[in-house]
Amino acid sequence: MSKLVTIYGGSGFVGRYIARRMAKEGWRVRVAVRRPNEAMHVKPYGVPGQVEPVFCNIRDDVSVASVMQGADAVVNCVGVLNELGKNTFGAIHAEGAGRIARIAADLGVASLVHVSAIGADPEADSEYSRTKAAGEASVQQHFPAAVILRPSVIFGAEDGFFNRFAGMTRLSPVLPIAAGSTKFQPVFADDVAKAAVKAAVSEAEAGIYELGGPEVKTFRALMAQMLEVIHRRRVILSLPGFIAKLVAFGFDVLQFASFQLIENKMLTRDQLKSLKSDNVASEGAKGFADLGIEPVTVGSVLPDYLWKFRPSGQYDEMTSSARNLRKNGV
């Protein structure tokens, strides 16, 4: 274990998959997070002492540099979906990404991997997308040899996408969504991790890779597939644009009025702007094929972690079988 990688945000949804795979590759893994005491779940990814969470604030040069000392590779997968306090889109996606790239270049780090997002565009309506683009530009300016990964919506056991909507089905016979016709190309978190590892160990050419799964589906179609997996019948209601705007405004106001004690985890006005555009890989863009990775489908993974939302949880298949037997008089 002579090689060391520093993963900024390595205890988060995607970061933990990257940390686990880097540990399996035999690297020492330094997981840089704001709350190391809440990141102890990463330690069992390797042998004792191989994976260690450390404190870091990516808004501070000294903090970023201190956890990068001695690193052979750096991965940045820090991102926010909603602005809270000083953790604004600009501070995290643009300034933070640029800071990590600049310091990595100064310290002579061999490889840098930056996890961005499909839809990053300096001309986008969404501030999230604009700051993602600004971060990419800053990374390429300071570290031209960097590999930038742009995943579509990411799914996996800890995701905030399918888990959130599956949880909503427990509360109402109606499942409201915004922009139901928007297209997504869902990608498995571990497939994104495979791509990040390829880049970190210098097995990928520099540049931007757009990572989308093997299927393109509308938001509504994905919700229908989720309902099939969790064995629930719900009416999928695609909210009209003006109602969706009112809902997002209401949740944003609630967050503001509560002095951010109540975080808007449902729908923000900026997220609604992002939903106006399809979230799929661009034609001709480099992707999984260029990395020698074959991504898995949504259907092959969802049952592994959404079973808990079924009416009888892990026993739902058994209860359904027993119900069918009774109907057939067996």
Side-chain angles (χ1 to χ4, degrees):
M1 294 188 292
S2 59
K3 294 291 186 84
L4 170 66
V5 59
T6 296
I7 305 177
Y8 294 89
S11 68
F13 173 35
V14 177
R16 67 183 67 191
Y17 285 84
I18 300 173
R20 184 185 294 114
R21 284 201 165 270
M22 290 300 293
K24 287 183 177 180
E25 291 287 327
W27 286 55
R28 288 182 293 128
V29 182
R30 186 181 289 157
V31 176
V33 293
R34 285 185 299 160
R35 301 182 181 90
N37 59 311
E38 296 179 7
M40 294 302 170
H41 57 273
V42 302
K43 292 175 72 69
Y45 292 168
V47 299
Q50 184 181 3
V51 183
E52 291 293 335
V54 294
F55 170 77
C56 177
N57 180 354
I58 70 166
R59 301 195 312 269
D60 179 75
D61 276 34
V62 174
S63 184
V64 169
S66 65
V67 299
M68 200 185 294
Q69 295 292 332
D72 299 281
V74 167
V75 180
N76 175 29
C77 48
V78 179
V80 292
L81 294 174
N82 185 21
E83 295 181 312
L84 287 175
K86 295 181 180 180
N87 293 318
T88 63
F89 292 138
I92 303 300
H93 297 161
E95 296 168 17
R99 178 175 293 109
I100 290 172
R102 169 172 51 81
I103 294 174
D106 292 342
L107 295 180
V109 173
S111 58
L112 171 65
V113 185
H114 176 66
V115 181
S116 183
I118 282 181
D121 182 355
E123 303 299 324
D125 289 337
S126 163
E127 187 176 357
Y128 172 90
S129 299
R130 290 197 303 272
T131 53
K132 281 289 188 180
E136 291 181 0
S138 188
V139 166
Q140 291 183 313
Q141 174 188 348
H142 295 294
F143 206 109
V147 171
I148 297 175
L149 304 178
R150 288 180 176 176
S152 182
V153 61
I154 305 174
F155 66 92
E158 307 85 0
D159 72 46
F161 186 69
F162 287 111
N163 278 301
R164 178 176 55 161
F165 288 102
M168 290 170 60
T169 64
R170 291 171 167 172
L171 307 175
S172 170
V174 176
L175 180 62
I177 61 173
S181 61
T182 298
K183 294 178 181 178
F184 291 91
Q185 197 171 355
V187 57
F188 184 34
D190 197 43
D191 287 334
V192 177
K194 290 177 183 178
V197 171
K198 284 257 188 181
V201 301
S202 301
E203 293 182 3
E205 294 182 359
I208 297 176
Y209 294 79
E210 298 202 346
L211 307 181
E215 302 169 306
V216 174
K217 294 187 176 183
T218 64
F219 194 177
R220 174 182 286 274
L222 289 173
M223 293 298 98
Q225 184 175 9
M226 177 204 72
L227 290 174
E228 289 182 9
V229 171
I230 63 176
H231 301 167
R232 292 182 184 270
R233 294 182 179 178
R234 296 292 183 268
V235 176
I236 302 174
L237 177 62
S238 188
L239 300 175
F242 73 96
I243 294 181
K245 288 181 180 179
L246 287 175
V247 171
F249 176 76
F251 281 120
D252 280 345
V253 168
L254 180 61
Q255 176 176 295
F256 177 79
S258 66
F259 299 97
Q260 299 189 342
L261 294 176
I262 301 176
E263 182 183 351
N264 181 2
K265 295 183 178 181
M266 298 302 294
L267 179 66
T268 69
R269 285 171 291 177
D270 195 75
Q271 288 168 355
L272 196 57
K273 291 177 182 178
S274 295
L275 285 171
K276 292 179 180 178
S277 303
D278 291 338
N279 197 259
V280 299
S282 305
E283 186 176 351
K286 291 194 292 186
F288 280 122
D290 300 277
L291 297 170
I293 299 171
E294 186 175 350
V296 300
T297 63
V298 174
S300 65
V301 178
L302 286 190
D304 292 342
Y305 67 95
L306 289 187
W307 55 263
K308 58 182 175 287
F309 295 104
R310 293 171 178 171
S312 301
Q314 60 184 321
Y315 304 108
D316 206 57
E317 296 286 356
M318 295 172 60
T319 56
S320 296
S321 297
R323 191 179 303 113
N324 290 333
L325 287 173
R326 287 196 298 269
K327 286 181 178 179
N328 295 326
V330 178

